[in-house]
Amino acid sequence: AQSVTQLGSHVSVSEGALVLLRCNYSSSVPPYLFWYVQYPNQGLQLLLKYTTGATLVKGINGFEAEFKKSETSFHLTKPSAHMSDAAEYFCAVSYTGGFKTIFGAGTRLFVKA
Amino acid sequence: NAGVTQTPKFQVLKTGQSMTLQCAQDMNHNSMYWYRQDPGMGLRLIYYSASEGTTDKGEVPNGYNVSRLNKREFSLRLESAAPSQTSVYFCASRGLAGGRTDTQYFGPGTRLTVL
């Protein structure tokens, strides 16, 4: 069965520091990979996605992620954290022709001043 | 475009009461979904509708029913609410672009408390 693992339910960084949120997936077929962000009391919104092509994907708000097939990973990074980045981040995976998306448990990002 | 809308935003029920959560999308998407979100558990799929006229169970369907009323609307019904159904419920929709899996768009959520 497909699954998504996000390492660390909480991550705390200082403003201006590197943000690294980890995501690993298990899959027997090529996946489509997503990162969603959820701000307090809101629904999820797409941050970035990988479907095919270039393995380094750039998203909104300066975030990017790299698909590494050999490591079954899709880690999310941002060079310099901003206070407004404080939110919960969800990694997700789906498949060609599939209707379901599998979500990780989420990582809450805290940004310290 | 309003995107995905959900009503109500908040609801408090007593054990055994019933209610229907409404969801509508104006993006002409084929697929619609209901999830519940609980702390530390991410999003769990309750039911989904791949296209108008079809519905299928997700990961946690017990205690829920759904209706795909038309292409725009997908409702979730709790027939006899239980405290274990206290959660935040999200509706989402998704279109298929060129046959490939595409992005899900989420509503703002319904916060349900069952006493």
mmCIF file of all heavy atoms in Angstrom, chain A residues 32 34 36 38 41-46 49 51-52 88 90 94-101 103-106, chain B residues 31 33 35 37 40-43 45 48 50 57-58 90 94 96 99-104 106-108 111:
data_model
loop_
_atom_site.group_PDB
_atom_site.id
_atom_site.type_symbol
_atom_site.label_atom_id
_atom_site.label_comp_id
_atom_site.label_asym_id
_atom_site.label_seq_id
_atom_site.Cartn_x
_atom_site.Cartn_y
_atom_site.Cartn_z
ATOM 1 N N TYR A 32 2.963 10.955 -8.285
ATOM 2 C CA TYR A 32 2.872 12.400 -8.366
ATOM 3 C C TYR A 32 2.968 12.886 -6.920
ATOM 4 O O TYR A 32 2.340 12.319 -6.027
ATOM 5 C CB TYR A 32 1.548 12.846 -8.982
ATOM 6 C CG TYR A 32 1.367 12.408 -10.415
ATOM 7 C CD1 TYR A 32 0.156 11.885 -10.853
ATOM 8 C CD2 TYR A 32 2.407 12.515 -11.332
ATOM 9 C CE1 TYR A 32 -0.020 11.478 -12.163
ATOM 10 C CE2 TYR A 32 2.237 12.110 -12.643
ATOM 11 C CZ TYR A 32 1.029 11.599 -13.056
ATOM 12 O OH TYR A 32 0.858 11.195 -14.351
ATOM 13 N N PHE A 34 3.131 16.110 -3.960
ATOM 14 C CA PHE A 34 2.607 17.428 -3.661
ATOM 15 C C PHE A 34 3.064 17.875 -2.269
ATOM 16 O O PHE A 34 3.255 17.052 -1.371
ATOM 17 C CB PHE A 34 1.073 17.417 -3.644
ATOM 18 C CG PHE A 34 0.428 16.893 -4.900
ATOM 19 C CD1 PHE A 34 0.303 15.525 -5.118
ATOM 20 C CD2 PHE A 34 -0.061 17.763 -5.848
ATOM 21 C CE1 PHE A 34 -0.300 15.035 -6.269
ATOM 22 C CE2 PHE A 34 -0.666 17.282 -7.004
ATOM 23 C CZ PHE A 34 -0.786 15.918 -7.214
ATOM 24 N N TYR A 36 1.348 20.656 0.386
ATOM 25 C CA TYR A 36 0.278 21.607 0.670
ATOM 26 C C TYR A 36 0.626 22.341 1.964
ATOM 27 O O TYR A 36 1.263 21.796 2.857
ATOM 28 C CB TYR A 36 -1.047 20.884 0.875
ATOM 29 C CG TYR A 36 -1.681 20.333 -0.381
ATOM 30 C CD1 TYR A 36 -1.317 19.079 -0.870
ATOM 31 C CD2 TYR A 36 -2.658 21.054 -1.072
ATOM 32 C CE1 TYR A 36 -1.908 18.565 -2.020
ATOM 33 C CE2 TYR A 36 -3.252 20.542 -2.214
ATOM 34 C CZ TYR A 36 -2.869 19.300 -2.679
ATOM 35 O OH TYR A 36 -3.456 18.786 -3.812
ATOM 36 N N GLN A 38 -1.171 24.646 5.208
ATOM 37 C CA GLN A 38 -2.418 24.992 5.879
ATOM 38 C C GLN A 38 -2.136 26.043 6.937
ATOM 39 O O GLN A 38 -1.440 25.781 7.925
ATOM 40 C CB GLN A 38 -3.057 23.754 6.523
ATOM 41 C CG GLN A 38 -4.394 24.044 7.171
ATOM 42 C CD GLN A 38 -4.995 22.818 7.828
ATOM 43 O OE1 GLN A 38 -4.290 21.945 8.317
ATOM 44 N NE2 GLN A 38 -6.316 22.741 7.826
ATOM 45 N N ASN A 41 -6.880 27.762 10.855
ATOM 46 C CA ASN A 41 -8.314 27.901 10.570
ATOM 47 C C ASN A 41 -8.628 28.060 9.083
ATOM 48 O O ASN A 41 -9.625 28.704 8.717
ATOM 49 C CB ASN A 41 -8.895 29.084 11.355
ATOM 50 C CG ASN A 41 -8.740 28.896 12.849
ATOM 51 O OD1 ASN A 41 -8.992 27.817 13.368
ATOM 52 N ND2 ASN A 41 -8.276 29.919 13.525
ATOM 53 N N GLN A 42 -7.774 27.490 8.258
ATOM 54 C CA GLN A 42 -8.018 27.525 6.821
ATOM 55 C C GLN A 42 -7.906 26.128 6.237
ATOM 56 O O GLN A 42 -7.443 25.195 6.889
ATOM 57 C CB GLN A 42 -7.020 28.456 6.124
ATOM 58 C CG GLN A 42 -7.165 29.915 6.491
ATOM 59 C CD GLN A 42 -6.247 30.797 5.680
ATOM 60 O OE1 GLN A 42 -5.848 30.452 4.565
ATOM 61 N NE2 GLN A 42 -5.905 31.948 6.221
ATOM 62 N N GLY A 43 -8.342 26.000 4.987
ATOM 63 C CA GLY A 43 -8.153 24.758 4.265
ATOM 64 C C GLY A 43 -6.735 24.652 3.727
ATOM 65 O O GLY A 43 -5.918 25.556 3.916
ATOM 66 N N LEU A 44 -6.429 23.535 3.084
ATOM 67 C CA LEU A 44 -5.104 23.337 2.515
ATOM 68 C C LEU A 44 -5.020 24.023 1.159
ATOM 69 O O LEU A 44 -5.995 24.064 0.402
ATOM 70 C CB LEU A 44 -4.821 21.842 2.317
ATOM 71 C CG LEU A 44 -4.400 21.055 3.547
ATOM 72 C CD1 LEU A 44 -5.543 20.882 4.514
ATOM 73 C CD2 LEU A 44 -3.853 19.697 3.117
ATOM 74 N N GLN A 45 -3.836 24.527 0.852
ATOM 75 C CA GLN A 45 -3.602 25.097 -0.478
ATOM 76 C C GLN A 45 -2.288 24.563 -1.026
ATOM 77 O O GLN A 45 -1.345 24.304 -0.269
ATOM 78 C CB GLN A 45 -3.603 26.626 -0.441
ATOM 79 C CG GLN A 45 -2.629 27.252 0.513
ATOM 80 C CD GLN A 45 -2.772 28.758 0.539
ATOM 81 O OE1 GLN A 45 -2.333 29.447 -0.365
ATOM 82 N NE2 GLN A 45 -3.418 29.268 1.584
ATOM 83 N N LEU A 46 -2.239 24.411 -2.328
ATOM 84 C CA LEU A 46 -1.076 23.824 -2.971
ATOM 85 C C LEU A 46 0.128 24.756 -2.878
ATOM 86 O O LEU A 46 0.038 25.943 -3.187
ATOM 87 C CB LEU A 46 -1.378 23.520 -4.436
ATOM 88 C CG LEU A 46 -0.241 22.846 -5.200
ATOM 89 C CD1 LEU A 46 -0.072 21.404 -4.710
ATOM 90 C CD2 LEU A 46 -0.505 22.890 -6.695
ATOM 91 N N LYS A 49 4.115 21.040 -6.773
ATOM 92 C CA LYS A 49 3.845 19.651 -7.124
ATOM 93 C C LYS A 49 4.857 19.164 -8.145
ATOM 94 O O LYS A 49 5.402 19.937 -8.937
ATOM 95 C CB LYS A 49 2.433 19.479 -7.672
ATOM 96 C CG LYS A 49 2.173 20.186 -8.994
ATOM 97 C CD LYS A 49 0.728 19.963 -9.442
ATOM 98 C CE LYS A 49 0.424 20.700 -10.751
ATOM 99 N NZ LYS A 49 -1.007 20.534 -11.156
ATOM 100 N N THR A 51 5.018 16.242 -11.133
ATOM 101 C CA THR A 51 4.304 15.223 -11.907
ATOM 102 C C THR A 51 5.288 14.491 -12.805
ATOM 103 O O THR A 51 5.530 13.300 -12.644
ATOM 104 C CB THR A 51 3.158 15.834 -12.729
ATOM 105 O OG1 THR A 51 3.663 16.915 -13.518
ATOM 106 C CG2 THR A 51 2.078 16.364 -11.805
ATOM 107 N N THR A 52 5.901 15.180 -13.743
ATOM 108 C CA THR A 52 6.951 14.583 -14.576
ATOM 109 C C THR A 52 7.958 15.676 -14.905
ATOM 110 O O THR A 52 7.728 16.854 -14.629
ATOM 111 C CB THR A 52 6.405 14.031 -15.902
ATOM 112 O OG1 THR A 52 5.762 15.104 -16.606
ATOM 113 C CG2 THR A 52 5.408 12.920 -15.681
ATOM 114 N N GLU A 88 1.145 24.650 9.001
ATOM 115 C CA GLU A 88 1.321 23.203 8.928
ATOM 116 C C GLU A 88 1.486 22.810 7.472
ATOM 117 O O GLU A 88 0.774 23.323 6.599
ATOM 118 C CB GLU A 88 0.148 22.465 9.558
ATOM 119 C CG GLU A 88 0.400 20.966 9.688
ATOM 120 C CD GLU A 88 -0.378 20.325 10.815
ATOM 121 O OE1 GLU A 88 -1.385 20.905 11.258
ATOM 122 O OE2 GLU A 88 0.024 19.231 11.263
ATOM 123 N N PHE A 90 1.844 19.677 4.606
ATOM 124 C CA PHE A 90 1.480 18.298 4.325
ATOM 125 C C PHE A 90 2.105 17.844 3.011
ATOM 126 O O PHE A 90 1.956 18.516 1.987
ATOM 127 C CB PHE A 90 -0.037 18.131 4.212
ATOM 128 C CG PHE A 90 -0.769 18.337 5.504
ATOM 129 C CD1 PHE A 90 -1.241 19.579 5.866
ATOM 130 C CD2 PHE A 90 -0.981 17.267 6.360
ATOM 131 C CE1 PHE A 90 -1.914 19.776 7.054
ATOM 132 C CE2 PHE A 90 -1.659 17.444 7.560
ATOM 133 C CZ PHE A 90 -2.125 18.699 7.901
ATOM 134 N N SER A 94 -0.042 10.882 -5.150
ATOM 135 C CA SER A 94 -1.102 10.235 -5.915
ATOM 136 C C SER A 94 -0.477 9.591 -7.145
ATOM 137 O O SER A 94 0.738 9.675 -7.336
ATOM 138 C CB SER A 94 -2.203 11.222 -6.292
ATOM 139 O OG SER A 94 -1.684 12.229 -7.120
ATOM 140 N N TYR A 95 -1.286 8.957 -7.985
ATOM 141 C CA TYR A 95 -0.757 8.125 -9.059
ATOM 142 C C TYR A 95 -1.549 8.305 -10.331
ATOM 143 O O TYR A 95 -2.736 8.668 -10.300
ATOM 144 C CB TYR A 95 -0.774 6.650 -8.625
ATOM 145 C CG TYR A 95 -0.012 6.471 -7.358
ATOM 146 C CD1 TYR A 95 -0.645 6.554 -6.130
ATOM 147 C CD2 TYR A 95 1.368 6.313 -7.378
ATOM 148 C CE1 TYR A 95 0.077 6.466 -4.950
ATOM 149 C CE2 TYR A 95 2.081 6.219 -6.209
ATOM 150 C CZ TYR A 95 1.429 6.305 -5.004
ATOM 151 O OH TYR A 95 2.139 6.225 -3.852
ATOM 152 N N THR A 96 -0.907 8.025 -11.431
ATOM 153 C CA THR A 96 -1.549 8.127 -12.744
ATOM 154 C C THR A 96 -2.856 7.355 -12.777
ATOM 155 O O THR A 96 -2.884 6.175 -12.452
ATOM 156 C CB THR A 96 -0.622 7.565 -13.841
ATOM 157 O OG1 THR A 96 0.630 8.200 -13.757
ATOM 158 C CG2 THR A 96 -1.225 7.790 -15.209
ATOM 159 N N GLY A 97 -3.910 8.047 -13.150
ATOM 160 C CA GLY A 97 -5.197 7.390 -13.262
ATOM 161 C C GLY A 97 -5.890 7.144 -11.944
ATOM 162 O O GLY A 97 -7.022 6.672 -11.909
ATOM 163 N N GLY A 98 -5.214 7.442 -10.850
ATOM 164 C CA GLY A 98 -5.812 7.218 -9.542
ATOM 165 C C GLY A 98 -6.651 8.398 -9.102
ATOM 166 O O GLY A 98 -6.407 9.529 -9.503
ATOM 167 N N PHE A 99 -7.644 8.153 -8.276
ATOM 168 C CA PHE A 99 -8.499 9.228 -7.789
ATOM 169 C C PHE A 99 -8.154 9.649 -6.367
ATOM 170 O O PHE A 99 -8.633 10.654 -5.898
ATOM 171 C CB PHE A 99 -9.969 8.812 -7.876
ATOM 172 C CG PHE A 99 -10.455 8.656 -9.279
ATOM 173 C CD1 PHE A 99 -10.566 7.409 -9.863
ATOM 174 C CD2 PHE A 99 -10.770 9.769 -10.028
ATOM 175 C CE1 PHE A 99 -11.000 7.272 -11.174
ATOM 176 C CE2 PHE A 99 -11.214 9.650 -11.336
ATOM 177 C CZ PHE A 99 -11.321 8.401 -11.911
ATOM 178 N N LYS A 100 -7.361 8.848 -5.691
ATOM 179 C CA LYS A 100 -7.075 9.154 -4.294
ATOM 180 C C LYS A 100 -5.729 9.834 -4.144
ATOM 181 O O LYS A 100 -4.792 9.581 -4.904
ATOM 182 C CB LYS A 100 -7.080 7.877 -3.460
ATOM 183 C CG LYS A 100 -8.408 7.166 -3.403
ATOM 184 C CD LYS A 100 -8.299 5.920 -2.534
ATOM 185 C CE LYS A 100 -9.580 5.119 -2.559
ATOM 186 N NZ LYS A 100 -9.466 3.889 -1.744
ATOM 187 N N THR A 101 -5.644 10.687 -3.137
ATOM 188 C CA THR A 101 -4.388 11.296 -2.730
ATOM 189 C C THR A 101 -4.114 10.864 -1.307
ATOM 190 O O THR A 101 -4.998 10.927 -0.459
ATOM 191 C CB THR A 101 -4.463 12.826 -2.820
ATOM 192 O OG1 THR A 101 -4.756 13.203 -4.166
ATOM 193 C CG2 THR A 101 -3.163 13.465 -2.380
ATOM 194 N N PHE A 103 -2.147 11.504 2.122
ATOM 195 C CA PHE A 103 -1.493 12.610 2.826
ATOM 196 C C PHE A 103 -0.633 12.090 3.972
ATOM 197 O O PHE A 103 -0.991 11.116 4.649
ATOM 198 C CB PHE A 103 -2.536 13.570 3.395
ATOM 199 C CG PHE A 103 -3.214 14.407 2.355
ATOM 200 C CD1 PHE A 103 -4.322 13.921 1.670
ATOM 201 C CD2 PHE A 103 -2.752 15.680 2.043
ATOM 202 C CE1 PHE A 103 -4.950 14.685 0.694
ATOM 203 C CE2 PHE A 103 -3.371 16.451 1.072
ATOM 204 C CZ PHE A 103 -4.468 15.948 0.396
ATOM 205 N N GLY A 104 0.474 12.779 4.205
ATOM 206 C CA GLY A 104 1.249 12.542 5.410
ATOM 207 C C GLY A 104 0.549 13.149 6.607
ATOM 208 O O GLY A 104 -0.455 13.848 6.472
ATOM 209 N N ALA A 105 1.105 12.894 7.783
ATOM 210 C CA ALA A 105 0.474 13.350 9.024
ATOM 211 C C ALA A 105 0.665 14.843 9.262
ATOM 212 O O ALA A 105 0.020 15.411 10.138
ATOM 213 C CB ALA A 105 1.011 12.548 10.211
ATOM 214 N N GLY A 106 1.559 15.463 8.504
ATOM 215 C CA GLY A 106 1.760 16.898 8.637
ATOM 216 C C GLY A 106 2.935 17.258 9.521
ATOM 217 O O GLY A 106 3.296 16.517 10.448
ATOM 218 N N SER B 31 -14.036 15.216 -9.910
ATOM 219 C CA SER B 31 -13.884 14.454 -8.665
ATOM 220 C C SER B 31 -14.068 15.349 -7.446
ATOM 221 O O SER B 31 -13.599 16.488 -7.423
ATOM 222 C CB SER B 31 -12.499 13.809 -8.615
ATOM 223 O OG SER B 31 -12.294 12.983 -9.737
ATOM 224 N N TYR B 33 -14.245 15.119 -2.868
ATOM 225 C CA TYR B 33 -13.748 14.325 -1.742
ATOM 226 C C TYR B 33 -14.235 14.915 -0.423
ATOM 227 O O TYR B 33 -14.416 16.132 -0.302
ATOM 228 C CB TYR B 33 -12.205 14.355 -1.728
ATOM 229 C CG TYR B 33 -11.583 13.905 -3.018
ATOM 230 C CD1 TYR B 33 -11.492 14.762 -4.104
ATOM 231 C CD2 TYR B 33 -11.091 12.612 -3.158
ATOM 232 C CE1 TYR B 33 -10.940 14.344 -5.307
ATOM 233 C CE2 TYR B 33 -10.534 12.184 -4.353
ATOM 234 C CZ TYR B 33 -10.468 13.055 -5.422
ATOM 235 O OH TYR B 33 -9.923 12.637 -6.605
ATOM 236 N N TYR B 35 -12.800 14.706 3.565
ATOM 237 C CA TYR B 35 -11.765 14.285 4.492
ATOM 238 C C TYR B 35 -12.146 14.733 5.904
ATOM 239 O O TYR B 35 -12.862 15.705 6.093
ATOM 240 C CB TYR B 35 -10.427 14.971 4.168
ATOM 241 C CG TYR B 35 -9.801 14.601 2.853
ATOM 242 C CD1 TYR B 35 -10.069 15.339 1.706
ATOM 243 C CD2 TYR B 35 -8.907 13.540 2.764
ATOM 244 C CE1 TYR B 35 -9.465 15.027 0.490
ATOM 245 C CE2 TYR B 35 -8.295 13.225 1.559
ATOM 246 C CZ TYR B 35 -8.589 13.967 0.428
ATOM 247 O OH TYR B 35 -7.989 13.654 -0.770
ATOM 248 N N GLN B 37 -9.929 15.795 9.487
ATOM 249 C CA GLN B 37 -8.590 16.111 9.976
ATOM 250 C C GLN B 37 -8.601 16.080 11.484
ATOM 251 O O GLN B 37 -9.355 16.811 12.130
ATOM 252 C CB GLN B 37 -8.126 17.488 9.492
ATOM 253 C CG GLN B 37 -6.702 17.813 9.924
ATOM 254 C CD GLN B 37 -6.238 19.177 9.440
ATOM 255 O OE1 GLN B 37 -7.030 20.083 9.231
ATOM 256 N NE2 GLN B 37 -4.931 19.318 9.243
ATOM 257 N N GLY B 40 -2.450 15.185 14.621
ATOM 258 C CA GLY B 40 -1.446 14.134 14.502
ATOM 259 C C GLY B 40 -1.769 13.037 13.510
ATOM 260 O O GLY B 40 -0.989 12.097 13.354
ATOM 261 N N MET B 41 -2.909 13.154 12.837
ATOM 262 C CA MET B 41 -3.317 12.079 11.925
ATOM 263 C C MET B 41 -3.440 12.536 10.486
ATOM 264 O O MET B 41 -3.845 11.776 9.615
ATOM 265 C CB MET B 41 -4.624 11.445 12.396
ATOM 266 C CG MET B 41 -4.547 10.928 13.821
ATOM 267 S SD MET B 41 -5.948 9.953 14.298
ATOM 268 C CE MET B 41 -5.620 8.457 13.417
ATOM 269 N N GLY B 42 -3.116 13.757 10.216
ATOM 270 C CA GLY B 42 -3.207 14.241 8.845
ATOM 271 C C GLY B 42 -4.645 14.262 8.356
ATOM 272 O O GLY B 42 -5.575 14.432 9.144
ATOM 273 N N LEU B 43 -4.820 14.085 7.071
ATOM 274 C CA LEU B 43 -6.159 14.034 6.485
ATOM 275 C C LEU B 43 -6.503 12.586 6.158
ATOM 276 O O LEU B 43 -5.691 11.882 5.539
ATOM 277 C CB LEU B 43 -6.218 14.861 5.210
ATOM 278 C CG LEU B 43 -6.514 16.337 5.387
ATOM 279 C CD1 LEU B 43 -5.307 17.059 5.916
ATOM 280 C CD2 LEU B 43 -6.973 16.945 4.073
ATOM 281 N N LEU B 45 -9.331 10.144 4.289
ATOM 282 C CA LEU B 45 -10.406 10.187 3.301
ATOM 283 C C LEU B 45 -11.626 9.429 3.810
ATOM 284 O O LEU B 45 -11.522 8.263 4.197
ATOM 285 C CB LEU B 45 -9.906 9.589 1.985
ATOM 286 C CG LEU B 45 -10.880 9.605 0.814
ATOM 287 C CD1 LEU B 45 -11.216 11.032 0.402
ATOM 288 C CD2 LEU B 45 -10.284 8.830 -0.363
ATOM 289 N N TYR B 48 -15.293 9.512 -1.518
ATOM 290 C CA TYR B 48 -15.005 10.336 -2.666
ATOM 291 C C TYR B 48 -15.959 9.995 -3.801
ATOM 292 O O TYR B 48 -16.623 8.944 -3.786
ATOM 293 C CB TYR B 48 -13.544 10.210 -3.114
ATOM 294 C CG TYR B 48 -13.164 8.861 -3.686
ATOM 295 C CD1 TYR B 48 -13.046 8.676 -5.062
ATOM 296 C CD2 TYR B 48 -12.877 7.777 -2.852
ATOM 297 C CE1 TYR B 48 -12.674 7.448 -5.589
ATOM 298 C CE2 TYR B 48 -12.521 6.552 -3.369
ATOM 299 C CZ TYR B 48 -12.405 6.392 -4.726
ATOM 300 O OH TYR B 48 -12.044 5.173 -5.245
ATOM 301 N N ALA B 50 -15.617 10.002 -7.872
ATOM 302 C CA ALA B 50 -14.720 10.177 -9.013
ATOM 303 C C ALA B 50 -15.385 10.983 -10.129
ATOM 304 O O ALA B 50 -14.708 11.709 -10.865
ATOM 305 C CB ALA B 50 -14.256 8.828 -9.534
ATOM 306 N N LYS B 57 -16.122 4.437 -1.017
ATOM 307 C CA LYS B 57 -15.614 4.578 0.336
ATOM 308 C C LYS B 57 -14.129 4.887 0.319
ATOM 309 O O LYS B 57 -13.380 4.419 -0.526
ATOM 310 C CB LYS B 57 -15.862 3.292 1.121
ATOM 311 C CG LYS B 57 -17.321 2.969 1.332
ATOM 312 C CD LYS B 57 -17.490 1.653 2.091
ATOM 313 C CE LYS B 57 -18.970 1.343 2.313
ATOM 314 N NZ LYS B 57 -19.154 0.056 3.025
ATOM 315 N N GLY B 58 -13.743 5.682 1.311
ATOM 316 C CA GLY B 58 -12.337 5.951 1.529
ATOM 317 C C GLY B 58 -11.826 5.142 2.690
ATOM 318 O O GLY B 58 -12.251 4.015 2.930
ATOM 319 N N PHE B 90 -13.120 18.569 5.769
ATOM 320 C CA PHE B 90 -12.772 19.315 4.563
ATOM 321 C C PHE B 90 -13.344 18.633 3.335
ATOM 322 O O PHE B 90 -13.227 17.422 3.170
ATOM 323 C CB PHE B 90 -11.254 19.426 4.400
ATOM 324 C CG PHE B 90 -10.612 20.351 5.387
ATOM 325 C CD1 PHE B 90 -9.984 19.855 6.507
ATOM 326 C CD2 PHE B 90 -10.647 21.720 5.181
ATOM 327 C CE1 PHE B 90 -9.391 20.711 7.422
ATOM 328 C CE2 PHE B 90 -10.064 22.591 6.091
ATOM 329 C CZ PHE B 90 -9.438 22.074 7.219
ATOM 330 N N ARG B 94 -11.206 18.027 -7.544
ATOM 331 C CA ARG B 94 -10.031 17.864 -8.399
ATOM 332 C C ARG B 94 -10.481 17.627 -9.834
ATOM 333 O O ARG B 94 -11.391 16.853 -10.085
ATOM 334 C CB ARG B 94 -9.197 16.678 -7.935
ATOM 335 C CG ARG B 94 -7.842 16.581 -8.595
ATOM 336 C CD ARG B 94 -7.104 15.360 -8.106
ATOM 337 N NE ARG B 94 -7.563 14.150 -8.760
ATOM 338 C CZ ARG B 94 -7.051 12.945 -8.543
ATOM 339 N NH1 ARG B 94 -6.107 12.800 -7.663
ATOM 340 N NH2 ARG B 94 -7.508 11.902 -9.185
ATOM 341 N N LEU B 96 -9.000 16.609 -13.812
ATOM 342 C CA LEU B 96 -7.918 15.895 -14.475
ATOM 343 C C LEU B 96 -7.506 16.679 -15.697
ATOM 344 O O LEU B 96 -8.305 16.914 -16.582
ATOM 345 C CB LEU B 96 -8.357 14.487 -14.882
ATOM 346 C CG LEU B 96 -8.613 13.521 -13.741
ATOM 347 C CD1 LEU B 96 -9.091 12.188 -14.266
ATOM 348 C CD2 LEU B 96 -7.335 13.318 -12.930
ATOM 349 N N GLY B 99 -5.560 14.062 -18.658
ATOM 350 C CA GLY B 99 -5.481 12.667 -18.230
ATOM 351 C C GLY B 99 -4.546 12.431 -17.063
ATOM 352 O O GLY B 99 -4.430 11.330 -16.568
ATOM 353 N N ARG B 100 -3.872 13.473 -16.612
ATOM 354 C CA ARG B 100 -2.942 13.292 -15.495
ATOM 355 C C ARG B 100 -3.601 13.702 -14.183
ATOM 356 O O ARG B 100 -4.506 14.503 -14.155
ATOM 357 C CB ARG B 100 -1.701 14.156 -15.700
ATOM 358 C CG ARG B 100 -0.953 13.875 -16.973
ATOM 359 C CD ARG B 100 0.291 14.726 -17.041
ATOM 360 N NE ARG B 100 0.036 16.098 -16.632
ATOM 361 C CZ ARG B 100 0.963 17.026 -16.598
ATOM 362 N NH1 ARG B 100 2.198 16.746 -16.946
ATOM 363 N NH2 ARG B 100 0.684 18.263 -16.218
ATOM 364 N N THR B 101 -3.066 13.122 -13.147
ATOM 365 C CA THR B 101 -3.525 13.518 -11.818
ATOM 366 C C THR B 101 -3.233 14.987 -11.597
ATOM 367 O O THR B 101 -2.177 15.480 -11.952
ATOM 368 C CB THR B 101 -2.791 12.685 -10.764
ATOM 369 O OG1 THR B 101 -3.139 11.323 -10.936
ATOM 370 C CG2 THR B 101 -3.169 13.128 -9.371
ATOM 371 N N ASP B 102 -4.180 15.680 -10.989
ATOM 372 C CA ASP B 102 -3.995 17.107 -10.805
ATOM 373 C C ASP B 102 -4.267 17.517 -9.371
ATOM 374 O O ASP B 102 -4.552 16.699 -8.527
ATOM 375 C CB ASP B 102 -4.908 17.866 -11.780
ATOM 376 C CG ASP B 102 -4.289 19.181 -12.233
ATOM 377 O OD1 ASP B 102 -3.473 19.750 -11.485
ATOM 378 O OD2 ASP B 102 -4.629 19.657 -13.315
ATOM 379 N N THR B 103 -4.180 18.784 -9.151
ATOM 380 C CA THR B 103 -4.237 19.343 -7.807
ATOM 381 C C THR B 103 -5.622 19.238 -7.196
ATOM 382 O O THR B 103 -6.626 19.359 -7.881
ATOM 383 C CB THR B 103 -3.840 20.822 -7.874
ATOM 384 O OG1 THR B 103 -2.591 20.932 -8.525
ATOM 385 C CG2 THR B 103 -3.780 21.436 -6.487
ATOM 386 N N GLN B 104 -5.649 19.030 -5.885
ATOM 387 C CA GLN B 104 -6.906 19.118 -5.159
ATOM 388 C C GLN B 104 -7.073 20.531 -4.615
ATOM 389 O O GLN B 104 -6.117 21.156 -4.165
ATOM 390 C CB GLN B 104 -6.949 18.117 -4.010
ATOM 391 C CG GLN B 104 -7.034 16.684 -4.493
ATOM 392 C CD GLN B 104 -7.544 15.731 -3.427
ATOM 393 O OE1 GLN B 104 -7.905 16.116 -2.340
ATOM 394 N NE2 GLN B 104 -7.581 14.451 -3.770
ATOM 395 N N PHE B 106 -9.218 22.761 -1.832
ATOM 396 C CA PHE B 106 -9.923 22.514 -0.578
ATOM 397 C C PHE B 106 -10.844 23.657 -0.196
ATOM 398 O O PHE B 106 -10.545 24.826 -0.448
ATOM 399 C CB PHE B 106 -8.910 22.306 0.556
ATOM 400 C CG PHE B 106 -8.229 20.978 0.497
ATOM 401 C CD1 PHE B 106 -7.143 20.768 -0.331
ATOM 402 C CD2 PHE B 106 -8.684 19.917 1.282
ATOM 403 C CE1 PHE B 106 -6.515 19.531 -0.399
ATOM 404 C CE2 PHE B 106 -8.059 18.686 1.224
ATOM 405 C CZ PHE B 106 -6.988 18.483 0.393
ATOM 406 N N GLY B 107 -11.932 23.291 0.462
ATOM 407 C CA GLY B 107 -12.790 24.274 1.085
ATOM 408 C C GLY B 107 -12.206 24.716 2.419
ATOM 409 O O GLY B 107 -11.184 24.188 2.866
ATOM 410 N N PRO B 108 -12.855 25.671 3.099
ATOM 411 C CA PRO B 108 -12.333 26.225 4.350
ATOM 412 C C PRO B 108 -12.550 25.340 5.560
ATOM 413 O O PRO B 108 -11.984 25.595 6.623
ATOM 414 C CB PRO B 108 -13.102 27.535 4.501
ATOM 415 C CG PRO B 108 -14.382 27.284 3.780
ATOM 416 C CD PRO B 108 -14.049 26.387 2.638
ATOM 417 N N ARG B 111 -15.957 22.851 11.324
ATOM 418 C CA ARG B 111 -15.513 22.384 12.641
ATOM 419 C C ARG B 111 -16.708 21.841 13.393
ATOM 420 O O ARG B 111 -17.594 22.599 13.765
ATOM 421 C CB ARG B 111 -14.829 23.528 13.382
ATOM 422 C CG ARG B 111 -13.436 23.754 12.857
ATOM 423 C CD ARG B 111 -12.940 25.170 13.007
ATOM 424 N NE ARG B 111 -11.621 25.304 12.392
ATOM 425 C CZ ARG B 111 -11.402 25.424 11.090
ATOM 426 N NH1 ARG B 111 -12.403 25.446 10.247
ATOM 427 N NH2 ARG B 111 -10.179 25.531 10.620
#
